[in-house]
Every structure is written in structure tokens, then in C-alpha cells.
Amino acid sequence: MRISELSRRSGVPVATIKYYLREELLPAGVATSATQAEYDEHHLRRLRLARALIAVRGLSVSTTREVLRALDEHSTDLHLLFGLALGAVSTDEPDSPSDRPQEPTPADELISALGWEISEKAPTRTTVTDTLRTLRDLGLPADWQTLVPYARLAERTAELDLAQLEDTEDPLERVERAVLLTILLEPVLLALRRMAQENESAKRHPRP
């Protein structure tokens, strides 16, 4: 397809596509003349993923380039592709043994109790530990056990998320969908929690 068709099918302006090509977010098309090139379905999928990483996940162009390069290097490892695209794992080298904390953190204990497989460099580990520390500092009796029932609900949500990716074999399309579902549905999930809290309050505390 020509760049105009690529733009039409992706919804990305031609000027943006040319910028992505200059920034090496997209591979060059097959030249058909000095000023023309042809693009294929792979370009379309990669373009949509680049747009999702930048416009939806909010990554910079340079970080998106790093993520896309890492995706190319690990194109057969779908689990790692999801982690790289969603920020669950880093494009850097894995931690060395000396980098790991000497004492288990609350996040470590929670993950162990749940039997989950979570990257050592996942930023969510720090989020869990720091949040529990803040809750305790504010006088709330919260520890990692407090989070277990919430984690089980999150586990079911993750099952629903990934089940929606099973109807395509294209890894780039799966990763793009994972980014869109994760980022765009998060405000909805928070809204549903608030609505459920309001409903539960109404049942527990009926108005006179």
C-alpha cells in the first residue's frame, strides 16, 4: 500500500507517519521510485502499536523506539512482549543478585503467597511496598495480607483482559490491544469501583 493508504487505514496523518519513519519507529517501505514506497500489513500493525505507546500509554518517542527495538529482539516471547509494552519489565538488563534487597519486601511476600510470576524489576513491586508503608504511617492497619483478596479480584480482571487477545495470532496486534485495554479501561475500572462502593453503602446504610 502507498503511504496515503497506510494513513487512511491507521488513522495516523501522513506527516506523522513520515516523522515516525525518520525517528526509526517504522521500518522503511520498499522503494518503488525516488519518491515513492510501498508498505504492508506489518507496517500497519507497527504503526498502530507506536501510536498506542505514544498517544495512549504516553511514552516519549525515544522511549517508544527503545521499546519497539526490544520487541523486535524478543518477537517470539509473547509474555515478554506484553511486559515490555505495558512497562511491567524494563528494556534494561536484568538485576544482578547484588541488586536485590536483602530482606523480602511486603510486595515480595504478597507475590510469594499468591504464587504469581512477577519480574524482579517490575515497578509495581515498589508501588505495593510504598503504599502499604504510607497507609501504616497514617495509622491504618494495612499489611500485605490486606491485599490478598484485592489481588484475587485483580487476577480475575487480568483473565478477562488477556482472553480478549486470543482471537488473533499477530503478536503486534495482541500487544497493541493489550496496551489499549490496559490504559483506556483503567479509568472505567476505577469508576466501576466507585459505583460499587456507592451501591454497597446504600445497602449497608439505607436512608431513613
PDB file of all heavy atoms in Angstrom, residues 74-103:
ATOM      1  N   HIS A  74      12.750  -9.688  20.874  1.00  0.00           N
ATOM      2  CA  HIS A  74      12.075 -10.774  21.596  1.00  0.00           C
ATOM      3  C   HIS A  74      10.722 -11.094  20.948  1.00  0.00           C
ATOM      4  O   HIS A  74       9.743 -11.367  21.647  1.00  0.00           O
ATOM      5  CB  HIS A  74      11.871 -10.370  23.062  1.00  0.00           C
ATOM      6  CG  HIS A  74      13.130  -9.961  23.763  1.00  0.00           C
ATOM      7  ND1 HIS A  74      14.058 -10.871  24.215  1.00  0.00           N
ATOM      8  CD2 HIS A  74      13.631  -8.736  24.069  1.00  0.00           C
ATOM      9  CE1 HIS A  74      15.064 -10.232  24.787  1.00  0.00           C
ATOM     10  NE2 HIS A  74      14.823  -8.932  24.712  1.00  0.00           N
ATOM     11  N   SER A  75      10.689 -11.082  19.628  1.00  0.00           N
ATOM     12  CA  SER A  75       9.414 -11.176  18.907  1.00  0.00           C
ATOM     13  C   SER A  75       8.680 -12.493  19.111  1.00  0.00           C
ATOM     14  O   SER A  75       7.478 -12.583  18.843  1.00  0.00           O
ATOM     15  CB  SER A  75       9.653 -10.946  17.409  1.00  0.00           C
ATOM     16  OG  SER A  75      10.553 -11.916  16.896  1.00  0.00           O
ATOM     17  N   THR A  76       9.368 -13.538  19.581  1.00  0.00           N
ATOM     18  CA  THR A  76       8.703 -14.830  19.769  1.00  0.00           C
ATOM     19  C   THR A  76       8.254 -15.068  21.214  1.00  0.00           C
ATOM     20  O   THR A  76       7.620 -16.079  21.494  1.00  0.00           O
ATOM     21  CB  THR A  76       9.637 -15.978  19.345  1.00  0.00           C
ATOM     22  OG1 THR A  76      10.827 -15.941  20.154  1.00  0.00           O
ATOM     23  CG2 THR A  76      10.031 -15.848  17.878  1.00  0.00           C
ATOM     24  N   ASP A  77       8.583 -14.145  22.107  1.00  0.00           N
ATOM     25  CA  ASP A  77       8.237 -14.305  23.523  1.00  0.00           C
ATOM     26  C   ASP A  77       7.071 -13.379  23.846  1.00  0.00           C
ATOM     27  O   ASP A  77       7.262 -12.226  24.240  1.00  0.00           O
ATOM     28  CB  ASP A  77       9.457 -13.974  24.395  1.00  0.00           C
ATOM     29  CG  ASP A  77       9.234 -14.296  25.869  1.00  0.00           C
ATOM     30  OD1 ASP A  77       8.059 -14.414  26.290  1.00  0.00           O
ATOM     31  OD2 ASP A  77      10.237 -14.402  26.599  1.00  0.00           O
ATOM     32  N   LEU A  78       5.845 -13.876  23.683  1.00  0.00           N
ATOM     33  CA  LEU A  78       4.673 -13.020  23.835  1.00  0.00           C
ATOM     34  C   LEU A  78       4.534 -12.484  25.255  1.00  0.00           C
ATOM     35  O   LEU A  78       4.137 -11.327  25.461  1.00  0.00           O
ATOM     36  CB  LEU A  78       3.409 -13.790  23.439  1.00  0.00           C
ATOM     37  CG  LEU A  78       2.150 -12.956  23.201  1.00  0.00           C
ATOM     38  CD1 LEU A  78       2.391 -11.892  22.142  1.00  0.00           C
ATOM     39  CD2 LEU A  78       0.983 -13.844  22.805  1.00  0.00           C
ATOM     40  N   HIS A  79       4.868 -13.292  26.247  1.00  0.00           N
ATOM     41  CA  HIS A  79       4.791 -12.840  27.639  1.00  0.00           C
ATOM     42  C   HIS A  79       5.707 -11.643  27.867  1.00  0.00           C
ATOM     43  O   HIS A  79       5.310 -10.640  28.471  1.00  0.00           O
ATOM     44  CB  HIS A  79       5.170 -13.984  28.572  1.00  0.00           C
ATOM     45  CG  HIS A  79       5.273 -13.589  30.009  1.00  0.00           C
ATOM     46  ND1 HIS A  79       4.208 -13.101  30.732  1.00  0.00           N
ATOM     47  CD2 HIS A  79       6.339 -13.569  30.867  1.00  0.00           C
ATOM     48  CE1 HIS A  79       4.590 -12.810  31.965  1.00  0.00           C
ATOM     49  NE2 HIS A  79       5.875 -13.081  32.068  1.00  0.00           N
ATOM     50  N   LEU A  80       6.930 -11.722  27.345  1.00  0.00           N
ATOM     51  CA  LEU A  80       7.870 -10.611  27.500  1.00  0.00           C
ATOM     52  C   LEU A  80       7.410  -9.404  26.698  1.00  0.00           C
ATOM     53  O   LEU A  80       7.576  -8.258  27.141  1.00  0.00           O
ATOM     54  CB  LEU A  80       9.264 -11.045  27.063  1.00  0.00           C
ATOM     55  CG  LEU A  80      10.385 -10.004  27.229  1.00  0.00           C
ATOM     56  CD1 LEU A  80      10.487  -9.535  28.669  1.00  0.00           C
ATOM     57  CD2 LEU A  80      11.716 -10.568  26.759  1.00  0.00           C
ATOM     58  N   LEU A  81       6.813  -9.624  25.520  1.00  0.00           N
ATOM     59  CA  LEU A  81       6.312  -8.513  24.716  1.00  0.00           C
ATOM     60  C   LEU A  81       5.278  -7.709  25.485  1.00  0.00           C
ATOM     61  O   LEU A  81       5.293  -6.482  25.479  1.00  0.00           O
ATOM     62  CB  LEU A  81       5.690  -9.023  23.409  1.00  0.00           C
ATOM     63  CG  LEU A  81       6.604  -9.711  22.402  1.00  0.00           C
ATOM     64  CD1 LEU A  81       5.846 -10.006  21.115  1.00  0.00           C
ATOM     65  CD2 LEU A  81       7.836  -8.886  22.105  1.00  0.00           C
ATOM     66  N   PHE A  82       4.340  -8.402  26.148  1.00  0.00           N
ATOM     67  CA  PHE A  82       3.333  -7.702  26.948  1.00  0.00           C
ATOM     68  C   PHE A  82       4.006  -6.890  28.047  1.00  0.00           C
ATOM     69  O   PHE A  82       3.654  -5.730  28.291  1.00  0.00           O
ATOM     70  CB  PHE A  82       2.351  -8.694  27.580  1.00  0.00           C
ATOM     71  CG  PHE A  82       1.386  -9.305  26.613  1.00  0.00           C
ATOM     72  CD1 PHE A  82       0.854 -10.563  26.865  1.00  0.00           C
ATOM     73  CD2 PHE A  82       0.984  -8.656  25.464  1.00  0.00           C
ATOM     74  CE1 PHE A  82      -0.042 -11.146  25.983  1.00  0.00           C
ATOM     75  CE2 PHE A  82       0.093  -9.230  24.570  1.00  0.00           C
ATOM     76  CZ  PHE A  82      -0.426 -10.474  24.837  1.00  0.00           C
ATOM     77  N   GLY A  83       4.961  -7.501  28.728  1.00  0.00           N
ATOM     78  CA  GLY A  83       5.639  -6.813  29.825  1.00  0.00           C
ATOM     79  C   GLY A  83       6.382  -5.575  29.371  1.00  0.00           C
ATOM     80  O   GLY A  83       6.344  -4.536  30.033  1.00  0.00           O
ATOM     81  N   LEU A  84       7.061  -5.666  28.223  1.00  0.00           N
ATOM     82  CA  LEU A  84       7.795  -4.521  27.693  1.00  0.00           C
ATOM     83  C   LEU A  84       6.855  -3.398  27.282  1.00  0.00           C
ATOM     84  O   LEU A  84       7.090  -2.225  27.579  1.00  0.00           O
ATOM     85  CB  LEU A  84       8.633  -4.958  26.486  1.00  0.00           C
ATOM     86  CG  LEU A  84       9.854  -5.834  26.785  1.00  0.00           C
ATOM     87  CD1 LEU A  84      10.380  -6.458  25.496  1.00  0.00           C
ATOM     88  CD2 LEU A  84      10.952  -5.030  27.469  1.00  0.00           C
ATOM     89  N   ALA A  85       5.773  -3.757  26.593  1.00  0.00           N
ATOM     90  CA  ALA A  85       4.848  -2.733  26.093  1.00  0.00           C
ATOM     91  C   ALA A  85       4.098  -2.044  27.219  1.00  0.00           C
ATOM     92  O   ALA A  85       3.805  -0.846  27.140  1.00  0.00           O
ATOM     93  CB  ALA A  85       3.861  -3.355  25.114  1.00  0.00           C
ATOM     94  N   LEU A  86       3.770  -2.783  28.277  1.00  0.00           N
ATOM     95  CA  LEU A  86       2.983  -2.222  29.371  1.00  0.00           C
ATOM     96  C   LEU A  86       3.854  -1.654  30.489  1.00  0.00           C
ATOM     97  O   LEU A  86       3.339  -1.095  31.451  1.00  0.00           O
ATOM     98  CB  LEU A  86       2.049  -3.295  29.939  1.00  0.00           C
ATOM     99  CG  LEU A  86       0.969  -3.772  28.964  1.00  0.00           C
ATOM    100  CD1 LEU A  86       0.226  -4.972  29.540  1.00  0.00           C
ATOM    101  CD2 LEU A  86      -0.007  -2.658  28.637  1.00  0.00           C
ATOM    102  N   GLY A  87       5.161  -1.805  30.390  1.00  0.00           N
ATOM    103  CA  GLY A  87       6.045  -1.245  31.400  1.00  0.00           C
ATOM    104  C   GLY A  87       6.207  -2.123  32.618  1.00  0.00           C
ATOM    105  O   GLY A  87       6.753  -1.684  33.632  1.00  0.00           O
ATOM    106  N   ALA A  88       5.748  -3.367  32.522  1.00  0.00           N
ATOM    107  CA  ALA A  88       5.897  -4.272  33.665  1.00  0.00           C
ATOM    108  C   ALA A  88       7.335  -4.726  33.817  1.00  0.00           C
ATOM    109  O   ALA A  88       7.784  -5.054  34.918  1.00  0.00           O
ATOM    110  CB  ALA A  88       4.985  -5.487  33.509  1.00  0.00           C
ATOM    111  N   VAL A  89       8.074  -4.767  32.707  1.00  0.00           N
ATOM    112  CA  VAL A  89       9.501  -5.087  32.745  1.00  0.00           C
ATOM    113  C   VAL A  89      10.241  -4.023  31.972  1.00  0.00           C
ATOM    114  O   VAL A  89       9.688  -3.339  31.116  1.00  0.00           O
ATOM    115  CB  VAL A  89       9.801  -6.485  32.156  1.00  0.00           C
ATOM    116  CG1 VAL A  89       9.168  -7.563  32.985  1.00  0.00           C
ATOM    117  CG2 VAL A  89       9.320  -6.585  30.712  1.00  0.00           C
ATOM    118  N   SER A  90      11.527  -3.879  32.269  1.00  0.00           N
ATOM    119  CA  SER A  90      12.345  -2.836  31.680  1.00  0.00           C
ATOM    120  C   SER A  90      13.079  -3.354  30.451  1.00  0.00           C
ATOM    121  O   SER A  90      13.296  -4.552  30.298  1.00  0.00           O
ATOM    122  CB  SER A  90      13.352  -2.334  32.717  1.00  0.00           C
ATOM    123  OG  SER A  90      14.299  -1.482  32.137  1.00  0.00           O
ATOM    124  N   THR A  91      13.464  -2.420  29.574  1.00  0.00           N
ATOM    125  CA  THR A  91      14.297  -2.788  28.437  1.00  0.00           C
ATOM    126  C   THR A  91      15.754  -2.934  28.849  1.00  0.00           C
ATOM    127  O   THR A  91      16.582  -3.349  28.038  1.00  0.00           O
ATOM    128  CB  THR A  91      14.205  -1.713  27.330  1.00  0.00           C
ATOM    129  OG1 THR A  91      14.560  -0.448  27.882  1.00  0.00           O
ATOM    130  CG2 THR A  91      12.798  -1.645  26.774  1.00  0.00           C
ATOM    131  N   ASP A  92      16.093  -2.609  30.114  1.00  0.00           N
ATOM    132  CA  ASP A  92      17.465  -2.741  30.603  1.00  0.00           C
ATOM    133  C   ASP A  92      17.775  -4.200  30.896  1.00  0.00           C
ATOM    134  O   ASP A  92      16.918  -5.072  30.865  1.00  0.00           O
ATOM    135  CB  ASP A  92      17.666  -1.921  31.878  1.00  0.00           C
ATOM    136  CG  ASP A  92      17.438  -0.439  31.638  1.00  0.00           C
ATOM    137  OD1 ASP A  92      17.664   0.007  30.503  1.00  0.00           O
ATOM    138  OD2 ASP A  92      17.019   0.247  32.585  1.00  0.00           O
ATOM    139  N   GLU A  93      19.020  -4.435  31.236  1.00  0.00           N
ATOM    140  CA  GLU A  93      19.440  -5.776  31.613  1.00  0.00           C
ATOM    141  C   GLU A  93      18.806  -6.173  32.949  1.00  0.00           C
ATOM    142  O   GLU A  93      18.522  -5.314  33.796  1.00  0.00           O
ATOM    143  CB  GLU A  93      20.970  -5.840  31.757  1.00  0.00           C
ATOM    144  CG  GLU A  93      21.705  -5.691  30.438  1.00  0.00           C
ATOM    145  CD  GLU A  93      21.388  -6.806  29.468  1.00  0.00           C
ATOM    146  OE1 GLU A  93      21.338  -7.968  29.905  1.00  0.00           O
ATOM    147  OE2 GLU A  93      21.190  -6.525  28.274  1.00  0.00           O
ATOM    148  N   PRO A  94      18.580  -7.479  33.180  1.00  0.00           N
ATOM    149  CA  PRO A  94      18.006  -7.917  34.459  1.00  0.00           C
ATOM    150  C   PRO A  94      18.894  -7.545  35.635  1.00  0.00           C
ATOM    151  O   PRO A  94      20.087  -7.320  35.488  1.00  0.00           O
ATOM    152  CB  PRO A  94      17.924  -9.444  34.294  1.00  0.00           C
ATOM    153  CG  PRO A  94      17.995  -9.684  32.816  1.00  0.00           C
ATOM    154  CD  PRO A  94      18.824  -8.571  32.255  1.00  0.00           C
ATOM    155  N   ASP A  95      18.268  -7.516  36.811  1.00  0.00           N
ATOM    156  CA  ASP A  95      19.030  -7.230  38.030  1.00  0.00           C
ATOM    157  C   ASP A  95      20.081  -8.299  38.263  1.00  0.00           C
ATOM    158  O   ASP A  95      19.871  -9.480  37.991  1.00  0.00           O
ATOM    159  CB  ASP A  95      18.102  -7.223  39.247  1.00  0.00           C
ATOM    160  CG  ASP A  95      17.192  -6.014  39.246  1.00  0.00           C
ATOM    161  OD1 ASP A  95      17.580  -4.985  38.685  1.00  0.00           O
ATOM    162  OD2 ASP A  95      16.089  -6.128  39.809  1.00  0.00           O
ATOM    163  N   SER A  96      21.215  -7.898  38.781  1.00  0.00           N
ATOM    164  CA  SER A  96      22.189  -8.870  39.256  1.00  0.00           C
ATOM    165  C   SER A  96      21.813  -9.237  40.683  1.00  0.00           C
ATOM    166  O   SER A  96      21.093  -8.506  41.357  1.00  0.00           O
ATOM    167  CB  SER A  96      23.590  -8.265  39.224  1.00  0.00           C
ATOM    168  OG  SER A  96      23.673  -7.181  40.130  1.00  0.00           O
ATOM    169  N   PRO A  97      22.294 -10.379  41.203  1.00  0.00           N
ATOM    170  CA  PRO A  97      21.934 -10.777  42.569  1.00  0.00           C
ATOM    171  C   PRO A  97      22.234  -9.717  43.611  1.00  0.00           C
ATOM    172  O   PRO A  97      21.503  -9.565  44.581  1.00  0.00           O
ATOM    173  CB  PRO A  97      22.782 -12.041  42.787  1.00  0.00           C
ATOM    174  CG  PRO A  97      22.993 -12.597  41.405  1.00  0.00           C
ATOM    175  CD  PRO A  97      23.095 -11.382  40.503  1.00  0.00           C
ATOM    176  N   SER A  98      23.299  -8.936  43.414  1.00  0.00           N
ATOM    177  CA  SER A  98      23.651  -7.926  44.411  1.00  0.00           C
ATOM    178  C   SER A  98      22.675  -6.759  44.417  1.00  0.00           C
ATOM    179  O   SER A  98      22.632  -5.991  45.366  1.00  0.00           O
ATOM    180  CB  SER A  98      25.071  -7.413  44.147  1.00  0.00           C
ATOM    181  OG  SER A  98      25.140  -6.818  42.861  1.00  0.00           O
ATOM    182  N   ASP A  99      21.886  -6.607  43.308  1.00  0.00           N
ATOM    183  CA  ASP A  99      20.942  -5.500  43.237  1.00  0.00           C
ATOM    184  C   ASP A  99      19.676  -5.767  44.038  1.00  0.00           C
ATOM    185  O   ASP A  99      18.922  -4.850  44.334  1.00  0.00           O
ATOM    186  CB  ASP A  99      20.541  -5.235  41.777  1.00  0.00           C
ATOM    187  CG  ASP A  99      21.694  -4.692  40.959  1.00  0.00           C
ATOM    188  OD1 ASP A  99      22.556  -4.035  41.565  1.00  0.00           O
ATOM    189  OD2 ASP A  99      21.733  -4.935  39.748  1.00  0.00           O
ATOM    190  N   ARG A 100      19.409  -7.006  44.376  1.00  0.00           N
ATOM    191  CA  ARG A 100      18.161  -7.351  45.032  1.00  0.00           C
ATOM    192  C   ARG A 100      18.213  -7.013  46.520  1.00  0.00           C
ATOM    193  O   ARG A 100      19.262  -7.103  47.162  1.00  0.00           O
ATOM    194  CB  ARG A 100      17.865  -8.848  44.858  1.00  0.00           C
ATOM    195  CG  ARG A 100      17.705  -9.264  43.413  1.00  0.00           C
ATOM    196  CD  ARG A 100      17.237 -10.695  43.320  1.00  0.00           C
ATOM    197  NE  ARG A 100      15.974 -10.849  44.017  1.00  0.00           N
ATOM    198  CZ  ARG A 100      15.382 -12.032  44.232  1.00  0.00           C
ATOM    199  NH1 ARG A 100      15.951 -13.136  43.825  1.00  0.00           N
ATOM    200  NH2 ARG A 100      14.236 -12.101  44.869  1.00  0.00           N
ATOM    201  N   PRO A 101      17.084  -6.621  47.107  1.00  0.00           N
ATOM    202  CA  PRO A 101      17.054  -6.318  48.540  1.00  0.00           C
ATOM    203  C   PRO A 101      17.435  -7.551  49.358  1.00  0.00           C
ATOM    204  O   PRO A 101      17.119  -8.688  48.974  1.00  0.00           O
ATOM    205  CB  PRO A 101      15.593  -5.926  48.782  1.00  0.00           C
ATOM    206  CG  PRO A 101      15.038  -5.586  47.435  1.00  0.00           C
ATOM    207  CD  PRO A 101      15.795  -6.408  46.450  1.00  0.00           C
ATOM    208  N   GLN A 102      18.092  -7.321  50.471  1.00  0.00           N
ATOM    209  CA  GLN A 102      18.482  -8.428  51.336  1.00  0.00           C
ATOM    210  C   GLN A 102      17.284  -9.014  52.074  1.00  0.00           C
ATOM    211  O   GLN A 102      17.205 -10.218  52.277  1.00  0.00           O
ATOM    212  CB  GLN A 102      19.549  -7.941  52.334  1.00  0.00           C
ATOM    213  CG  GLN A 102      20.849  -7.489  51.668  1.00  0.00           C
ATOM    214  CD  GLN A 102      21.504  -8.582  50.871  1.00  0.00           C
ATOM    215  OE1 GLN A 102      21.649  -9.715  51.339  1.00  0.00           O
ATOM    216  NE2 GLN A 102      21.899  -8.268  49.648  1.00  0.00           N
ATOM    217  N   GLU A 103      16.361  -8.161  52.480  1.00  0.00           N
ATOM    218  CA  GLU A 103      15.175  -8.613  53.198  1.00  0.00           C
ATOM    219  C   GLU A 103      13.967  -8.564  52.270  1.00  0.00           C
ATOM    220  O   GLU A 103      13.842  -7.645  51.463  1.00  0.00           O
ATOM    221  CB  GLU A 103      14.919  -7.719  54.417  1.00  0.00           C
ATOM    222  CG  GLU A 103      16.005  -7.766  55.464  1.00  0.00           C
ATOM    223  CD  GLU A 103      16.101  -9.132  56.118  1.00  0.00           C
ATOM    224  OE1 GLU A 103      15.066  -9.834  56.194  1.00  0.00           O
ATOM    225  OE2 GLU A 103      17.211  -9.500  56.540  1.00  0.00           O
TER     226      GLU A 103
END
